[in-house]
Amino acid sequence: MTGAVPPDRRRFLTAGAAVLGAAASAQLWVPAAARAAETPLPDGVFSLGVSSGDPLPDGIVLWTRLAPDPLNGGGMPDRVVPVEWQLAEDHRFRKLVRRGTAQARPEYGHSVHVDVRGLRAGRTYWYRFRTSGQLSPVGRTRTAPHPYSSGGSLRMALASCQNWQHGYFTPYADMLDQDPDVVVFVGDYIYESTPSATALRRHEGTGEPFSLVQYRNRYAQYRTDPDLAAMHANAPFVVTFDDHEVDNDFAGEIPQDPDKQPHDAFVARLTAAYQAFYEHMPVRATAVPDGPHIRMYRRLEFGRLARLNVLDTRQYRSDQATSQEGAQDPSLTMLGAQQKGWLLNGLKNSPARWNLIASQIMMAETDLKVGEGKLWFYDAWDGYQAERNRFLQEFRQVRNPVVLSGDRHLTMISDLRTDYADPDSDVVGAEFVGTSISSNGDQDQEAFRREWDPRRPDNPHWKLLDAHRGYHLFDVHRDRIDAQVRVVDTVRRTTATPSTLARLRVRAGHPGVEVV
């Protein structure tokens, strides 16, 4: 929903630590005798907070992970721990609608994923967990609209690229105030880089993560950021990964530096990274990894208003090209045959007014060469020219396609055209490349302009270009999408001043994007 925040939601948002921290010992819903009979766990088992994700009209995933010593493997005993959960229609839990017990298993880092079903569509709910006499923070979530609803509106936030060492995650504080119905996170939730002695906030550990415990520690560190934790506790997330959740610019089972990471060693790294990703994300059991494989591409429906296609542009791609000629090789694939067929079928047969595509990497062209000729980023869709161009041709038959991307650490908003070699070719859609939450830190804006402004004449499809930190906010209506580029003045302090850098609009039936 958009506009004014209803009183019950606003009260929850502004209650702060009082509501998030503890629902008071009087609200522990298990008798004292039963609590006393449990084997006590260390204090602080809910140090990583709570979150929810992948909303359905009748369901939601609830998440937590028990980790009293989060940066040292979790600190839990090597046994299965029962964790009770409750879901209610009010934040005081007087109107319970579901409750149960989940098993936090050591083989999954004592994470808990509860797939609650049988809920009412388009409703706000509150949830919490309890184990060993300890109560989790309270979370708030929301189900998707009824499958056949065609009215109303949807408020959606787009986020990506949060590097712990580059800054605090201050854009989430503003996102919390904007109260989105859902947050779409398109990759680089963690960074695998080595701890830096000069970083604003230093990564835990002594080097890059390779093992499961090392990846768990890195995710746990990121989960302790207070602004990220508060946002997770206030709205459902729809997540996918890009490269830094594993290794920079990896492709399938090929690392960035194959001469330094033998295949078997990298497969072991993929296995660890995917499992740690699953353990820390509010995703369904369909995403439980199978060794070095994880199913991430999926589709979510928001009534007849919007269909969200979430891509995986890492696991199935061909290795990156290293030249312009290579990038135009028709055999190269970003998505793989199965995912590509799934996406095209879902776009062409969609009943939704808006067909949204969450793509980790940019689809529109970025011509880096000033003047004659072309120079591309080969890790983005530009490196897979033939497949990208076929997709753009297919978009002619898709109702209101809009691509939501990340990766670039800058805002780059573009028209999608059928042929970037012809600046007069048909516009078939719009793309919003969201800036980063913190990656690249507080950039020198003048230096950015000196580097990028000369490229704008060679990229006439670009509508907006900026390098502030932040996120994008979308109000989706039947006749239009109103977008805001929300930015902060700094990520080098724990608090920041937010503002709206720009407002844009995509009108139904009119491909492309307008600066308002």
Side-chain angles (χ1 to χ4, degrees):
M1 73 175 280
T2 59
V5 180
D8 64 329
R9 302 185 79 183
R10 177 55 59 193
R11 282 198 299 270
F12 184 74
L13 286 171
T14 57
V19 174
L20 286 175
S25 59
Q27 293 188 32
L28 294 176
W29 63 89
V30 175
R35 296 201 301 275
E38 296 174 348
T39 302
L41 296 173
D43 290 339
V45 292
F46 294 110
S47 65
L48 302 183
V50 300
S51 63
S52 66
D54 280 14
L56 302 176
D58 68 340
I60 196 74
V61 177
L62 309 180
W63 174 94
T64 192
R65 180 186 166 214
L66 309 182
D69 192 3
L71 303 190
N72 290 288
M76 287 290 290
D78 188 21
R79 61 178 172 85
V80 177
V81 176
V83 179
E84 296 161 278
W85 59 270
Q86 290 182 327
L87 187 95
E89 292 183 347
D90 68 304
H91 72 269
R92 297 184 183 278
F93 291 85
R94 291 171 178 168
K95 299 177 182 178
L96 287 180
V97 293
R98 293 287 185 277
R99 64 188 301 170
T101 301
Q103 306 301 319
R105 301 182 178 279
E107 59 266 32
Y108 289 107
H110 290 98
S111 61
V112 175
H113 298 75
V114 181
D115 191 352
V116 187
R117 298 297 177 100
L119 303 178
R120 297 173 66 181
R123 298 282 295 201
T124 299
Y125 292 96
W126 286 262
Y127 63 95
R128 62 184 180 183
F129 301 90
R130 195 200 76 88
T131 190
S132 191
Q134 298 182 53
L135 194 63
S136 77
V138 172
R140 188 195 69 175
T141 191
R142 188 170 181 84
T143 52
H146 189 279
Y148 298 114
S149 65
S150 57
S153 60
L154 174 72
R155 172 161 277 199
M156 177 181 292
L158 171 67
S160 65
C161 302
Q162 49 192 31
N163 192 318
W164 179 273
Q165 297 198 136
H166 290 181
Y168 299 98
F169 300 163
T170 55
Y172 284 120
D174 178 65
M175 188 187 294
L176 186 68
D177 288 341
Q178 300 301 323
D179 197 25
D181 297 308
V182 64
V183 179
V184 179
F185 191 94
V186 291
D188 295 344
Y189 191 95
I190 64 164
Y191 279 72
E192 85 292 9
S193 47
T194 298
S196 169
T198 60
L200 183 68
R201 299 194 289 180
R202 184 170 180 163
H203 273 150
E204 53 71 44
T206 57
E208 289 191 20
F210 290 91
S211 70
L212 178 56
V213 170
Q214 288 172 327
Y215 275 108
R216 282 173 176 166
N217 292 344
R218 186 61 58 89
Y219 274 100
Q221 182 179 42
Y222 277 60
R223 276 281 191 170
T224 63
D225 182 275
D227 291 320
L228 175 60
M231 194 63 242
H232 267 303
N234 275 275
F237 274 55
V238 175
V239 299
T240 186
F241 58 81
D242 191 18
D243 54 342
H244 289 289
E245 288 88 350
V246 182
D247 180 45
N248 183 51
D249 286 355
F250 82 96
E253 295 185 359
I254 303 170
Q256 181 186 32
D257 47 5
D259 54 324
K260 296 180 181 177
Q261 296 188 73
H263 181 259
D264 288 352
F266 189 65
V267 167
R269 188 179 193 184
L270 282 171
T271 301
Y274 289 155
Q275 178 165 336
F277 178 84
Y278 167 76
E279 291 174 353
H280 290 85
M281 295 296 128
V283 291
R284 291 194 161 80
T286 51
V288 173
D290 177 16
H293 307 287
I294 184 171
R295 174 66 183 263
M296 265 295 105
Y297 68 86
R298 60 204 189 280
R299 185 173 292 128
L300 294 161
E301 312 282 357
F302 296 89
R304 293 293 177 91
L305 182 63
R307 167 173 281 187
L308 176 63
N309 302 276
V310 183
L311 302 187
D312 175 349
T313 59
R314 285 292 159 190
Q315 282 193 92
Y316 313 105
R317 67 157 70 190
S318 309
D319 196 11
Q320 290 93 341
T322 56
S323 66
Q324 279 187 270
E325 182 181 8
Q328 297 175 79
D329 182 345
S331 71
L332 293 188
T333 180
M334 176 71 79
L335 301 182
Q338 184 173 337
Q339 183 180 193
K340 179 184 176 183
W342 165 87
L343 176 60
L344 287 174
N345 183 65
L347 291 172
K348 291 181 178 180
N349 298 314
S350 172
R353 183 73 163 179
W354 296 94
N355 286 285
L356 311 178
I357 302 170
S359 169
Q360 294 88 331
I361 44 81
M362 185 170 174
M363 184 171 283
E365 182 177 78
T366 300
D367 180 6
L368 296 167
K369 187 174 182 181
V370 177
E372 293 296 318
K374 300 276 190 181
L375 179 62
W376 299 312
F377 285 119
Y378 297 123
D379 186 62
W381 277 96
D382 276 340
Y384 301 76
Q385 291 270 322
E387 186 168 270
R388 189 270 309 279
N389 293 345
R390 285 196 298 270
F391 266 117
L392 294 177
Q393 291 290 341
E394 298 280 4
F395 279 6
R396 296 176 187 270
Q397 304 172 51
V398 177
R399 183 187 295 115
N400 298 318
V402 177
V403 178
L404 310 176
S405 309
D407 179 59
R408 284 292 171 82
H409 309 168
L410 53 82
T411 288
M412 187 177 278
I413 299 172
S414 307
D415 287 341
L416 293 173
R417 292 184 175 273
T418 54
D419 184 2
Y420 284 108
D422 176 8
D424 295 322
S425 64
D426 291 344
V427 175
V428 291
E431 181 176 35
F432 292 81
V433 177
T435 185
S436 65
I437 292 291
S438 68
S439 301
N440 280 19
D442 292 348
Q443 281 188 250
D444 182 332
Q445 300 298 318
E446 291 187 5
F448 173 80
R449 289 292 170 201
R450 287 195 298 271
E451 179 185 359
W452 284 90
D453 282 354
R455 296 168 173 156
R456 298 197 70 159
D458 297 288
N459 295 272
H461 50 282
W462 292 350
K463 296 298 183 71
L464 183 68
L465 192 64
D466 185 76
H468 286 85
R469 305 285 69 84
Y471 67 98
H472 292 185
L473 186 68
F474 304 94
D475 289 312
V476 184
H477 308 275
R478 276 194 61 77
D479 64 334
R480 70 192 188 283
I481 295 178
D482 290 324
Q484 297 179 53
V485 178
R486 298 288 297 175
V487 299
V488 294
D489 63 337
T490 183
V491 293
R492 295 193 61 82
R493 297 190 302 271
T494 55
T495 59
T497 301
S499 61
T500 298
L501 177 85
R503 297 180 184 272
L504 303 102
R505 177 169 292 165
V506 182
R507 291 182 295 144
H510 299 270
V513 59
E514 310 165 3
V515 179
V516 178

